[in-house]
Amino acid sequence: MQESLIDYGFIRTAAALPRVKPGAVEFNTRESLNLMRSASEQGVLISVFPELGLSGYTCADLFQQQRLLAGTEEAAAELIAASREIEGLFILGAPVQRRGRLFNCALVIGSGRLHGIVPKTIIPNFREFYEARWFASGKTETGAGNEADFAGRRAPFGRDLLFSLPIGGRRLSFGVEICEDLWALNPPSSDLAAAGAELILNPSASNELVGKAEYRKELVRQQSARTLTAYVYASAGTGESTTDTVFGGHALIAENGSLIAEAERFRRDEQLLVGDIDLSFIDHERINSTTFSASESSIPYREIRIEAEPPSSKSHNLARPLVRNPFVPAESGDLEARCREIFAIQSAGLASRLAHIGCSTAIIGLSGGLDSTLALLVTVEAFRELGLDLKGIKSYTLPGFGTTSRTRGNVEKLTEAMGLSLETVEIGPASKLQLKDLQHSGKPEDTAYENVQARQRTMFLMNKANMEGGIVIGTGDLSELALGWCTYNGDHMSMYAVNTGVPKTLVKFLVKYVAESWAGPEAAKILADIVDTPISPELLPPDAEGNIAQKTEDTIGPYELHDFFLYHAIRSGGEPAKVLFLAKHAFADQYPREILLSWLKSFYRRFFSQQFKRSCLPDGPKVGTISLSPRGDWRMPSDADAELWLREIERLS
């Protein structure tokens, strides 16, 4: 069976920017028709065109000419009729006469029908805008039975129209606001969202001024975040009159605060900006937001039920950003800023805890791996914030059966370069004694052999903290907690866990950030080698050459996959089929489908079976949109059954 985006909760939308000439209705009609057909060919469900695009926005006093108004109405009739043979819905801009007044309107058309007419509410009449000279506000146009005759059809008319259509076994609700409506103190889209609209479409004509594009982009992005909607915005292009203003054709598609797509401004040819909207993610965010559920619309909306079938099921590549490392910003500038902020949150959290309990001593075990290195760096920064003597940081390296000279050497060199104390405590003898007491063979044949070492380390650190009057700094990260890759009451436990909100794929970038910002040249070299060291708990003996033999990702799978699964399954609430679908797109050139499916199954099994470890986590700062702490975000029964999820994965096999 051919895959469809709708099967995974996506719909395809578009902001259409046709070439336009003010007053050239026939030309504008042809250009719009061409883009309607192009949108349909690309499987677009709903397309929005610029404000007053059929007549041109800059017609000024020509809007008082009946020939222009009649010609535009004839053009609308032509496009409505043409839509009978074109799949999809289209939002077109046109002036509409009604009861002796002229309205700046959006026409919702499709399947040969005019489904509704939405008048603009906020009519700008300041600086370069003179719309009140020609257009009336639609603010009072509400109520049952409010209809208009236009383009040879009678259709619902008003600002209180909420449209819906069947798609993927559910109904999609969408609403329309026009240009300045978005800039208002209380945009109509806020009420539309409260009434159930998941998608907002905005036909606009926003002229270009220095700095305005960034403001406009933030406005669209923020409104999509505030309303938990997808927002598609299409503004008039360069074909409009340049008598006093210039229009750049700015088109934007945003979803819940994230920019999905943006058109190139000032292009002189037509553009069709396509973006796939994740409706299931919007649903997930809404049911998880009590703020949204408490919101109420200030007006009652009329539901306009459209029964037209959506575009034919087609297989597409995703028209939206999809990155392999969703926790890691792609842009270097954004990445540096993100690392700076996360590191600040971690260190501020630890500093506050130390200050609250009046503690100036921190106990930390260093393995030479990424996590304990990051925890050490966070601790150093926290001590600096509080003006504490760095001698209060008591570092210990606790070599066991699998410790290599590389990791041990990096610990020794790093603490020396940073002027920190370090004590080496061999845990091998104590671990062997414990194995003997357990009547264990002493051979690396089960998890007891490994976990004895992990618990021995934690026991030493806890006891040392009691002796020194300090607290044990936890090192485990978010990814390890998701998979349960920690020893219960071993590295699982601490007195404050600074890394619990940081996924593994982000840890190395935080370490790099410190290396490049304030660690100093000697420490930076060592940090670079730590970043390059294979991830390992080092609980099994090294190989014959003394190198790390036990590599974590060989056992549990690549962290880049598990972090991807964690984000899309837990953060976004995606079903296994959808997570696999996304993973295939993101990792198509790296992992075959069967490998992705295998590790996805492992992820769900481990995530469900290891909840008991997350239910009793020590305190630690939440730094991103996901935390697995029962106090910070995630609450789940320790005995929750994974059958529903695993059964779907079996079906996918």
Side-chain angles (χ1 to χ4, degrees):
M1 184 175 63
Q2 192 178 37
E3 287 183 334
S4 168
L5 294 176
I6 295 173
D7 297 335
Y8 301 102
F10 294 99
I11 63 162
R12 180 154 289 186
T13 62
L17 304 177
R19 294 188 299 165
V20 170
K21 297 179 182 179
V25 175
E26 291 184 3
F27 175 85
N28 299 340
T29 302
R30 288 195 304 271
E31 295 296 311
S32 295
L33 184 57
N34 288 339
L35 278 184
M36 287 169 62
R37 288 172 174 152
S38 178
S40 178
E41 290 168 1
Q42 295 185 48
V44 175
L45 176 66
I46 304 178
S47 304
V48 59
F49 287 68
E51 180 179 9
L52 296 171
L54 294 186
S55 58
Y57 175 78
T58 52
C59 287
D61 282 356
L62 293 179
F63 284 122
Q64 297 172 348
Q65 294 285 311
Q66 281 299 317
R67 182 73 291 252
L68 177 66
L69 300 180
T72 304
E73 189 168 354
E74 292 165 5
E78 179 182 340
L79 292 177
I80 293 169
S83 73
R84 190 176 292 112
E85 308 300 326
I86 305 174
E87 290 184 320
L89 292 173
F90 308 93
I91 316 299
L92 300 171
V96 174
Q97 297 181 80
R98 184 169 182 269
R99 296 175 182 171
R101 292 189 293 173
L102 186 64
F103 295 91
N104 178 344
C105 292
L107 314 177
V108 180
I109 74 170
S111 302
R113 296 185 60 188
L114 174 59
H115 296 290
I117 305 172
V118 180
K120 188 173 183 176
T121 301
I122 307 298
I123 306 299
N125 211 55
F126 59 94
R127 298 195 182 100
E128 64 264 42
F129 298 105
Y130 296 93
E131 283 191 36
R133 181 178 174 93
W134 312 294
F135 298 108
S137 168
K139 185 175 183 179
T140 60
E141 299 295 331
T142 61
N146 198 350
E147 297 180 330
D149 294 307
F150 185 75
R153 291 151 176 89
R154 189 166 182 80
F157 181 92
R159 72 181 183 98
D160 59 343
L161 303 186
L162 179 65
F163 301 88
S164 73
L165 72 158
I167 182 169
R170 51 163 291 179
R171 293 194 74 84
L172 162 68
S173 293
F174 68 92
V176 178
E177 65 182 1
I178 303 174
C179 196
E180 192 72 14
D181 291 346
L182 170 62
W183 302 66
L185 187 62
N186 182 30
S189 52
S190 296
D191 280 334
L192 283 163
E198 302 150 284
L199 172 64
I200 304 296
L201 301 119
N202 188 326
S204 178
S206 182
N207 64 308
E208 299 299 338
L209 300 170
V210 174
K212 189 176 181 180
E214 282 304 310
Y215 184 88
R216 185 190 299 124
K217 181 162 58 176
E218 280 303 297
L219 195 62
V220 169
R221 194 180 65 79
Q222 286 293 331
Q223 187 65 357
S224 76
R226 186 177 298 108
T227 57
L228 297 181
T229 59
Y231 202 108
V232 186
Y233 179 97
S235 187
T238 57
E240 292 285 356
S241 170
T242 58
T243 301
D244 292 299
T245 54
V246 173
F247 296 83
H250 202 186
L252 302 157
I253 301 177
E255 173 192 288
N256 193 31
S258 297
L259 195 64
I260 301 300
E262 180 178 10
E264 177 187 346
R265 291 185 298 144
F266 303 111
R267 274 182 50 174
R268 306 205 66 79
D269 54 348
E270 72 280 353
Q271 289 190 74
L272 187 69
L273 183 70
V274 175
D276 293 330
I277 301 303
D278 191 346
L279 289 181
S280 60
F281 177 57
I282 292 172
D283 288 343
H284 174 267
E285 293 298 276
R286 288 186 168 188
I287 65 175
N288 280 280
S289 171
T290 55
T291 301
F292 178 84
S293 62
S295 302
E296 296 182 0
S297 172
S298 63
I299 64 170
Y301 279 89
R302 289 179 281 165
E303 182 183 4
I304 309 301
R305 295 177 66 88
I306 301 172
E307 301 302 337
E309 290 295 318
S312 301
S313 177
K314 300 172 184 176
S315 181
H316 300 288
N317 291 323
L318 275 174
R320 61 183 285 126
L322 182 61
V323 296
R324 295 183 177 186
N325 297 315
F327 293 106
V328 181
E331 298 293 331
S332 58
D334 293 342
L335 177 58
E336 181 183 359
R338 178 75 58 83
C339 288
R340 185 188 310 115
E341 185 173 21
I342 290 175
F343 193 78
I345 293 172
Q346 290 179 279
S347 56
L350 177 56
S352 295
R353 176 55 54 91
L354 291 169
H356 175 70
I357 62 178
C359 179
S360 58
T361 302
I363 307 298
I364 185 167
L366 301 177
S367 67
L370 280 170
D371 291 341
S372 64
T373 298
L374 176 59
L376 175 67
L377 299 173
V378 168
T379 303
V380 169
E381 182 65 16
F383 269 61
R384 288 176 174 173
E385 288 179 23
L386 295 173
L388 297 177
D389 192 334
L390 295 184
K391 291 181 180 178
I393 300 175
K394 309 291 185 181
S395 305
Y396 298 88
T397 182
L398 303 148
F401 304 149
T403 303
T404 62
S405 58
R406 178 180 183 179
T407 54
R408 180 170 178 172
N410 278 337
V411 169
E412 294 169 348
K413 288 182 286 187
L414 179 62
T415 50
E416 181 180 0
M418 299 187 72
L420 302 173
S421 68
L422 177 68
E423 184 177 338
T424 300
V425 178
E426 299 281 352
I427 65 165
S431 297
K432 288 179 180 178
L433 181 60
Q434 178 74 99
L435 289 171
K436 181 179 179 182
D437 290 342
L438 290 169
Q439 297 183 345
H440 191 277
S441 68
K443 297 178 181 179
E445 57 192 12
D446 58 18
T447 55
Y449 177 90
E450 301 178 41
N451 290 343
V452 157
Q453 300 169 74
R455 292 193 177 99
Q456 185 64 40
R457 287 177 174 134
T458 300
M459 181 175 65
F460 173 86
L461 295 171
M462 290 288 185
N463 290 335
K464 182 60 75 170
N466 291 159
M467 288 177 60
E468 299 284 351
I471 63 171
V472 176
I473 308 301
T475 62
D477 64 47
L478 179 66
S479 307
E480 292 177 340
L481 291 172
L483 300 169
W485 190 250
C486 53
T487 300
Y488 193 86
N489 209 33
D491 53 308
H492 159 260
M493 193 48 59
S494 66
M495 295 171 180
Y496 195 77
V498 295
N499 293 339
T500 53
V502 184
K504 184 74 76 176
T505 48
L506 189 55
V507 171
K508 67 178 181 180
F509 291 101
L510 287 165
V511 173
K512 285 181 179 179
Y513 159 74
V514 173
E516 295 169 0
S517 57
W518 58 261
E522 287 303 314
K525 292 178 184 177
I526 304 158
L527 292 175
D529 191 62
I530 290 173
V531 168
D532 292 335
T533 302
I535 299 170
S536 172
E538 291 193 317
L539 297 173
L540 295 178
D543 62 20
E545 286 75 37
N547 298 318
I548 294 173
Q550 183 187 21
K551 297 180 181 179
T552 298
E553 292 178 297
D554 290 345
T555 302
I556 64 171
Y559 273 115
E560 64 177 350
L561 287 184
H562 287 305
D563 280 359
F564 186 90
F565 299 154
L566 177 64
Y567 182 87
H568 291 286
I570 307 305
R571 167 66 186 91
S572 302
E575 297 183 8
K578 180 178 179 179
V579 177
L580 178 63
F581 170 77
L582 294 172
K584 287 192 300 180
H585 279 77
F587 297 98
D589 61 345
Q590 189 171 352
Y591 299 103
R593 183 180 186 275
E594 58 271 18
I595 296 299
L596 293 173
L597 195 59
S598 172
W599 289 126
L600 181 62
K601 185 175 184 179
S602 175
F603 171 83
Y604 276 103
R605 279 180 169 169
R606 295 194 68 97
F607 188 84
F608 274 82
S609 67
Q610 300 296 299
Q611 173 62 27
F612 73 100
K613 295 179 181 178
R614 300 188 290 267
S615 293
C616 56
L617 287 176
D619 291 351
K622 178 180 180 179
V623 302
T625 56
I626 181 171
S627 167
L628 296 178
S629 163
R631 300 169 300 278
D633 199 349
W634 184 255
R635 294 156 186 84
M636 171 181 167
S638 294
D639 49 5
D641 197 321
E643 181 182 359
L644 274 176
W645 290 262
L646 295 177
R647 188 187 303 157
E648 181 174 327
I649 293 174
E650 289 297 331
R651 180 181 61 80
L652 296 170
S653 300

